Amino acid sequence: MLQISHVSKRYGEKEALRDVSLQLSQGEIVGLFGENGAGKTTLMKCILGLLAYRGQILLDGRPIVKKSKARLAFATAEHSFFPNLTPEGHRDFYSWHFPEFREKRFRGLMEFFELPIHKPLRSFSAGQKNQFEVILALCQGADYILMDEPFAGNDVFNREDFYKVLLGILEPSETILLSTHLIREVSGFIGRAVLLHRGEIAGDVSMAQLEDSGQSLLDFIKCTYRYEADRVSKALGELAGEEDGE
């Protein structure tokens, strides 16, 4: 279990996370949602130990140290691979550093998405780079796989393929924490939704609970954030009024 207890993070005067507490059990697929600047990326980087923070993050009841970091994988649209290295070179590097590297899964995903294994990553398209980033995270052998907007730049068909492949290959011990703005797309893929708003947990609900209540994920998010459906028309009306008064 990944336990996040009372985690806070500041960037100077700005409070990016405020007293965030959350638990992720093995085998869950959790969607992490929130507006830009809500703290999603900051939370993931705190979990990975890339940022200093106040509070406590435990993995199976123990602090995350260098040895246990291999149980955490990260896929980000910022890309964390070596651009001059080929996928084959990355496979060798990851196999050396991560004893649980999933060689068979790596080969299968590379073939399924038809990615060239002998070309340097710098020659890949943006969509191919994103695909490869996710493949590396899925093949590292980690128990907790954090994905921060991993499908940016991929077309809808590639994204749909990835959701289906993920559901088909994940083992019961593997947990996904997926940060994305693609709410409708992932609503049938995730089992739980966590909402961040201005650095705080604003909602935490299972998809089964939403289904029982007859509420869609998008409706739940809009309700939680008190989204005003007519805010655009109001703003346009005010702007039109200002122009008429000139």
mmCIF file of all heavy atoms in Angstrom, residues 13 28 34-35 71 75 104 120-121 134 140-141 179 196 213-214 218 225 233 236 246:
data_model
loop_
_atom_site.group_PDB
_atom_site.id
_atom_site.type_symbol
_atom_site.label_atom_id
_atom_site.label_comp_id
_atom_site.label_asym_id
_atom_site.label_seq_id
_atom_site.Cartn_x
_atom_site.Cartn_y
_atom_site.Cartn_z
ATOM 1 N N GLU A 13 6.059 31.435 -2.119
ATOM 2 C CA GLU A 13 4.826 31.849 -1.450
ATOM 3 C C GLU A 13 3.618 31.018 -1.859
ATOM 4 O O GLU A 13 2.588 31.037 -1.194
ATOM 5 C CB GLU A 13 4.542 33.335 -1.751
ATOM 6 C CG GLU A 13 5.573 34.299 -1.209
ATOM 7 C CD GLU A 13 5.655 34.243 0.318
ATOM 8 O OE1 GLU A 13 4.592 34.214 0.961
ATOM 9 O OE2 GLU A 13 6.778 34.213 0.847
ATOM 10 N N GLU A 28 -5.143 -1.269 -7.869
ATOM 11 C CA GLU A 28 -6.097 -0.222 -8.225
ATOM 12 C C GLU A 28 -5.670 0.498 -9.503
ATOM 13 O O GLU A 28 -4.483 0.614 -9.807
ATOM 14 C CB GLU A 28 -6.196 0.820 -7.110
ATOM 15 C CG GLU A 28 -6.952 0.389 -5.883
ATOM 16 C CD GLU A 28 -7.274 1.571 -4.991
ATOM 17 O OE1 GLU A 28 -6.351 2.112 -4.348
ATOM 18 O OE2 GLU A 28 -8.451 1.961 -4.939
ATOM 19 N N GLY A 34 -7.995 17.272 -11.975
ATOM 20 C CA GLY A 34 -7.937 18.614 -11.411
ATOM 21 C C GLY A 34 -7.571 19.611 -12.490
ATOM 22 O O GLY A 34 -6.992 19.251 -13.522
ATOM 23 N N GLU A 35 -7.908 20.874 -12.244
ATOM 24 C CA GLU A 35 -7.588 21.903 -13.217
ATOM 25 C C GLU A 35 -6.072 22.102 -13.289
ATOM 26 O O GLU A 35 -5.327 21.583 -12.468
ATOM 27 C CB GLU A 35 -8.284 23.228 -12.831
ATOM 28 C CG GLU A 35 -7.735 23.888 -11.568
ATOM 29 C CD GLU A 35 -8.356 23.395 -10.291
ATOM 30 O OE1 GLU A 35 -8.795 22.231 -10.222
ATOM 31 O OE2 GLU A 35 -8.365 24.176 -9.318
ATOM 32 N N ARG A 71 10.231 0.073 -7.091
ATOM 33 C CA ARG A 71 8.830 -0.337 -7.098
ATOM 34 C C ARG A 71 7.918 0.769 -7.618
ATOM 35 O O ARG A 71 6.711 0.597 -7.731
ATOM 36 C CB ARG A 71 8.400 -0.738 -5.684
ATOM 37 C CG ARG A 71 9.122 -1.974 -5.144
ATOM 38 C CD ARG A 71 8.615 -2.340 -3.773
ATOM 39 N NE ARG A 71 7.179 -2.644 -3.813
ATOM 40 C CZ ARG A 71 6.414 -2.699 -2.723
ATOM 41 N NH1 ARG A 71 6.939 -2.444 -1.524
ATOM 42 N NH2 ARG A 71 5.133 -2.987 -2.834
ATOM 43 N N ALA A 75 5.778 7.763 -15.920
ATOM 44 C CA ALA A 75 5.658 8.094 -17.341
ATOM 45 C C ALA A 75 5.121 9.513 -17.452
ATOM 46 O O ALA A 75 4.080 9.843 -16.878
ATOM 47 C CB ALA A 75 4.719 7.119 -18.050
ATOM 48 N N LYS A 104 9.470 -9.832 -21.806
ATOM 49 C CA LYS A 104 8.432 -10.330 -22.706
ATOM 50 C C LYS A 104 7.379 -9.255 -22.962
ATOM 51 O O LYS A 104 6.931 -9.073 -24.103
ATOM 52 C CB LYS A 104 7.778 -11.574 -22.109
ATOM 53 C CG LYS A 104 6.736 -12.210 -23.010
ATOM 54 C CD LYS A 104 6.168 -13.485 -22.391
ATOM 55 C CE LYS A 104 5.109 -14.115 -23.291
ATOM 56 N NZ LYS A 104 4.539 -15.342 -22.669
ATOM 57 N N PRO A 120 17.249 5.719 -32.882
ATOM 58 C CA PRO A 120 17.339 6.546 -31.666
ATOM 59 C C PRO A 120 16.012 7.241 -31.391
ATOM 60 O O PRO A 120 15.270 7.581 -32.322
ATOM 61 C CB PRO A 120 18.449 7.540 -31.998
ATOM 62 C CG PRO A 120 18.525 7.570 -33.489
ATOM 63 C CD PRO A 120 18.143 6.201 -33.952
ATOM 64 N N LEU A 121 15.735 7.463 -30.125
ATOM 65 C CA LEU A 121 14.450 8.064 -29.735
ATOM 66 C C LEU A 121 14.254 9.458 -30.316
ATOM 67 O O LEU A 121 13.115 9.899 -30.519
ATOM 68 C CB LEU A 121 14.343 8.108 -28.211
ATOM 69 C CG LEU A 121 13.677 6.919 -27.522
ATOM 70 C CD1 LEU A 121 12.229 6.791 -27.932
ATOM 71 C CD2 LEU A 121 14.399 5.621 -27.802
ATOM 72 N N VAL A 134 5.525 5.308 -21.923
ATOM 73 C CA VAL A 134 4.593 4.470 -21.170
ATOM 74 C C VAL A 134 5.053 3.012 -21.169
ATOM 75 O O VAL A 134 4.950 2.319 -20.149
ATOM 76 C CB VAL A 134 3.162 4.590 -21.738
ATOM 77 C CG1 VAL A 134 2.219 3.636 -21.027
ATOM 78 C CG2 VAL A 134 2.651 6.026 -21.604
ATOM 79 N N GLN A 140 9.156 -1.738 -16.399
ATOM 80 C CA GLN A 140 10.206 -1.614 -15.381
ATOM 81 C C GLN A 140 10.125 -2.718 -14.327
ATOM 82 O O GLN A 140 11.127 -3.110 -13.748
ATOM 83 C CB GLN A 140 10.105 -0.242 -14.712
ATOM 84 C CG GLN A 140 11.123 0.009 -13.623
ATOM 85 C CD GLN A 140 10.933 1.368 -12.986
ATOM 86 O OE1 GLN A 140 10.840 2.379 -13.686
ATOM 87 N NE2 GLN A 140 10.869 1.418 -11.661
ATOM 88 N N GLY A 141 8.915 -3.197 -14.090
ATOM 89 C CA GLY A 141 8.713 -4.198 -13.044
ATOM 90 C C GLY A 141 8.242 -3.582 -11.745
ATOM 91 O O GLY A 141 8.325 -4.204 -10.682
ATOM 92 N N SER A 179 -2.828 10.708 -14.134
ATOM 93 C CA SER A 179 -3.256 12.099 -14.169
ATOM 94 C C SER A 179 -3.585 12.465 -15.613
ATOM 95 O O SER A 179 -2.752 12.305 -16.510
ATOM 96 C CB SER A 179 -2.132 13.008 -13.647
ATOM 97 O OG SER A 179 -2.419 14.362 -13.940
ATOM 98 N N LEU A 196 -8.274 16.763 -7.200
ATOM 99 C CA LEU A 196 -7.491 17.795 -6.525
ATOM 100 C C LEU A 196 -8.018 19.164 -6.929
ATOM 101 O O LEU A 196 -8.362 19.386 -8.100
ATOM 102 C CB LEU A 196 -6.018 17.703 -6.909
ATOM 103 C CG LEU A 196 -5.117 16.723 -6.159
ATOM 104 C CD1 LEU A 196 -3.713 16.743 -6.761
ATOM 105 C CD2 LEU A 196 -5.051 17.043 -4.670
ATOM 106 N N SER A 213 -25.101 5.589 -8.085
ATOM 107 C CA SER A 213 -25.831 6.853 -7.910
ATOM 108 C C SER A 213 -26.397 7.382 -9.223
ATOM 109 O O SER A 213 -27.152 8.357 -9.232
ATOM 110 C CB SER A 213 -24.901 7.917 -7.304
ATOM 111 O OG SER A 213 -23.887 8.289 -8.231
ATOM 112 N N GLY A 214 -26.011 6.739 -10.342
ATOM 113 C CA GLY A 214 -26.491 7.188 -11.641
ATOM 114 C C GLY A 214 -25.802 8.446 -12.134
ATOM 115 O O GLY A 214 -26.303 9.113 -13.053
ATOM 116 N N LEU A 218 -17.904 12.858 -15.245
ATOM 117 C CA LEU A 218 -17.851 14.272 -15.603
ATOM 118 C C LEU A 218 -18.822 15.087 -14.764
ATOM 119 O O LEU A 218 -18.492 16.183 -14.291
ATOM 120 C CB LEU A 218 -18.146 14.444 -17.088
ATOM 121 C CG LEU A 218 -18.038 15.872 -17.640
ATOM 122 C CD1 LEU A 218 -16.635 16.435 -17.407
ATOM 123 C CD2 LEU A 218 -18.385 15.896 -19.123
ATOM 124 N N TYR A 225 -16.575 20.705 -8.287
ATOM 125 C CA TYR A 225 -15.913 21.992 -8.535
ATOM 126 C C TYR A 225 -16.897 23.154 -8.643
ATOM 127 O O TYR A 225 -16.494 24.287 -8.896
ATOM 128 C CB TYR A 225 -15.078 21.926 -9.813
ATOM 129 C CG TYR A 225 -13.857 21.053 -9.711
ATOM 130 C CD1 TYR A 225 -13.342 20.419 -10.824
ATOM 131 C CD2 TYR A 225 -13.200 20.856 -8.492
ATOM 132 C CE1 TYR A 225 -12.216 19.608 -10.740
ATOM 133 C CE2 TYR A 225 -12.092 20.059 -8.401
ATOM 134 C CZ TYR A 225 -11.596 19.438 -9.522
ATOM 135 O OH TYR A 225 -10.492 18.641 -9.436
ATOM 136 N N SER A 233 -21.668 32.031 -21.346
ATOM 137 C CA SER A 233 -22.689 32.918 -21.904
ATOM 138 C C SER A 233 -22.806 34.202 -21.084
ATOM 139 O O SER A 233 -23.029 35.279 -21.638
ATOM 140 C CB SER A 233 -24.040 32.196 -21.969
ATOM 141 O OG SER A 233 -24.440 31.749 -20.684
ATOM 142 N N LEU A 236 -19.832 36.369 -22.060
ATOM 143 C CA LEU A 236 -20.026 36.944 -23.386
ATOM 144 C C LEU A 236 -21.063 38.056 -23.350
ATOM 145 O O LEU A 236 -20.936 39.068 -24.039
ATOM 146 C CB LEU A 236 -20.448 35.850 -24.378
ATOM 147 C CG LEU A 236 -19.382 34.808 -24.719
ATOM 148 C CD1 LEU A 236 -19.973 33.715 -25.611
ATOM 149 C CD2 LEU A 236 -18.195 35.456 -25.414
ATOM 150 N N GLU A 246 -19.756 51.501 -25.185
ATOM 151 C CA GLU A 246 -18.637 52.352 -25.606
ATOM 152 C C GLU A 246 -19.122 53.495 -26.491
ATOM 153 O O GLU A 246 -20.073 53.363 -27.235
ATOM 154 C CB GLU A 246 -17.618 51.488 -26.367
ATOM 155 C CG GLU A 246 -16.861 50.535 -25.459
ATOM 156 C CD GLU A 246 -15.854 49.701 -26.235
ATOM 157 O OE1 GLU A 246 -15.812 49.842 -27.483
ATOM 158 O OE2 GLU A 246 -15.120 48.925 -25.612
#
